[in-house]
Amino acid sequence: MKGRSAGKVKEIALKRSVLKELSSVLCKDIQKPQVGIDASGCILDDENSLLTSVATMEGLTDTFVISTINRALNNLYIQEASPIGITMSLTLRYGASEQEIKKLMRVISEECTKHGIPVLGGETTRSRSACEHILTIQALGTKKLSRNIKTDLTGLQIVMAGNAGMAGTIQIYEKESEKLRTRFSERFLHGINPMKQQLSVREQRKIAGDVICAHDVSEGGIFTALWEMGEYLNCGMRITLPNLLLSQETIELSEFFDINPYLLFSLGCSIYVTADGGGLVDRFTQEGIRAAVIGTLTGDSDRILDNEEEIRYLEPFKGDEMYKL
């Protein structure tokens, strides 16, 4: 399918042609890039490290700007890093006016203000070949050096916080609103708007506290995030498919366009490994955040999706469903 070429590269290409080529220039003080860890960097001193993450997206709406910033910052938040600020590179589509530039910069400034961080610098250029604006955000942050991951993982529980597919649902709504109004009422579609304020995992990570492992869900959806967690931990897992969290809006839009909501862009959602899944779910619930225990880690390499009537298996990232549209 033509749309599959858009977005981030498939995992097999990432490992073979990106991460493998970078390994020769790493030193011992570097936290190297790897599948399942989207923010990496260097050790500053005996207690602190400097982390950086990068996100690139394209679009014409305010939401694509907000999504790009949150995508980069979520990679820091999920590792309990404190953001210092961002740098940006904005490539404007052909024919973009100065008013468009002002609007985009205003959205960037407002979103950074929400997170309490400055724009440290950047570059703005025009392109004769770009059909949409292309925004790259690099987020910088510091974190305390952490302990090693617990080695005995078998039986630990996986907790999901927040609904999967929110960012993709917003993107679909903004791009296909006319089609959606032929099927759904304005009242129903209005339920998508609050999702725009729920794309950060900062509060989720604070509530989770001391967990074995944490990962934010982004491009490729909840299925991809679970696979990446398994790669990072080098373990298997058994996921109870009906326990995965989706909003009714995401379910309905996915059925309308015949796409898989579990492979849909999912900012604002995060997953955690803990020995006390029920306790973590209770803490999220008390703070008004939807959460559920969705599975357990296993000692083998199988990553199973249990749907009661059938068994399926997780696969590496192959593309996000939103690019089908």
Side-chain angles (χ1 to χ4, degrees):
M1 183 174 293
K2 183 178 180 181
R4 289 298 188 182
S5 62
K8 67 179 185 180
V9 299
K10 296 179 182 179
E11 183 178 309
I12 188 171
L14 176 68
K15 288 181 176 179
R16 181 178 59 213
S17 301
V18 179
L19 299 180
K20 184 177 180 180
E21 295 301 317
L22 292 176
S23 61
S24 61
V25 297
L26 297 176
C27 67
K28 65 179 181 179
D29 291 330
I30 294 291
Q31 178 178 306
K32 67 179 183 178
Q34 57 184 301
V35 174
I37 296 293
D38 295 319
S40 56
C42 60
I43 296 173
L44 294 175
D45 51 43
D46 292 340
E47 296 184 353
N48 302 288
S49 61
L50 175 69
L51 297 185
T52 179
S53 67
V54 178
T56 297
M57 295 186 68
E58 58 182 324
L60 297 174
T61 66
D62 294 354
T63 300
F64 105 92
V65 175
I66 296 169
S67 296
T68 310
I69 294 172
N70 279 279
R71 187 174 180 180
L73 290 175
N74 282 350
N75 293 332
L76 297 180
Y77 289 138
I78 205 68
Q79 294 196 52
E80 296 185 287
S82 299
I84 299 170
I86 66 167
T87 61
M88 50 154 281
S89 174
L90 176 61
T91 301
L92 296 159
R93 67 177 179 86
Y94 183 69
S97 66
E98 186 173 346
Q99 285 301 113
E100 284 185 81
I101 300 174
K102 280 186 176 181
K103 182 180 178 183
L104 289 168
M105 297 310 299
R106 188 176 299 116
V107 175
I108 291 171
S109 178
E110 289 174 353
E111 190 63 23
C112 287
T113 298
K114 290 179 183 177
H115 291 272
I117 57 172
V119 177
L120 300 172
E123 179 183 51
T124 305
T125 60
R126 297 178 186 270
S127 172
R128 291 186 177 274
S129 58
C131 297
E132 295 186 323
H133 305 310
I134 302 171
L135 177 65
T136 297
I137 296 292
Q138 180 183 37
L140 302 171
T142 59
K143 69 167 290 186
K144 297 291 184 181
L145 294 177
S146 57
R147 58 183 172 76
N148 293 327
I149 295 174
K150 183 179 178 180
T151 54
D152 184 13
L153 301 172
T154 304
L156 292 178
Q157 295 178 306
I158 305 171
V159 170
M160 175 181 181
N163 293 319
M166 286 196 298
T169 300
I170 297 167
Q171 297 276 0
I172 292 171
Y173 171 60
E174 292 186 339
K175 288 178 177 292
E176 305 290 347
S177 59
E178 290 186 10
K179 289 183 181 179
L180 291 170
R181 287 187 174 93
T182 66
R183 169 74 69 86
F184 304 105
S185 68
E186 287 294 337
R187 182 178 179 182
F188 175 81
L189 294 174
H190 185 70
I192 296 173
N193 289 324
M195 295 182 187
K196 298 177 184 179
Q197 308 302 320
Q198 301 169 17
L199 300 181
S200 174
V201 301
R202 175 170 52 181
E203 293 306 313
Q204 294 175 10
R205 189 62 187 90
K206 287 180 180 179
I207 294 167
D210 188 19
V211 292
I212 306 301
C213 183
H215 190 34
D216 61 306
V217 188
S218 183
E219 189 169 341
I222 184 65
F223 280 179
T224 295
L226 288 166
W227 173 272
E228 290 173 346
M229 177 177 275
E231 287 291 283
Y232 176 65
L233 296 175
N234 192 28
C235 69
M237 59 183 64
R238 192 176 191 95
I239 304 299
T240 304
L241 190 60
N243 288 2
L244 298 182
L245 303 176
L246 297 168
S247 71
Q248 191 60 37
E249 290 85 359
T250 298
I251 294 171
E252 296 286 352
L253 267 61
S254 296
E255 290 181 353
F256 183 67
F257 287 107
D258 191 25
I259 58 178
N260 188 337
Y262 302 113
L263 294 172
L264 188 61
F265 194 30
S266 295
L267 292 177
C269 176
S270 53
I271 50 177
Y272 304 89
V273 173
T274 177
D276 183 15
L280 181 52
V281 169
D282 287 343
R283 295 204 300 278
F284 280 127
T285 302
Q286 289 170 6
E287 297 298 326
I289 296 174
R290 195 180 182 199
V293 176
I294 61 172
T296 57
L297 301 185
T298 61
D300 55 28
S301 60
D302 293 333
R303 292 159 193 169
I304 296 172
L305 294 167
D306 187 349
N307 195 23
E308 298 177 355
E309 298 179 355
E310 64 174 340
I311 296 295
R312 297 164 54 195
Y313 294 87
L314 289 170
E315 298 179 347
F317 174 78
K318 293 182 178 179
D320 194 292
E321 290 289 273
M322 71 177 178
Y323 293 115
K324 282 186 174 182
L325 305 179

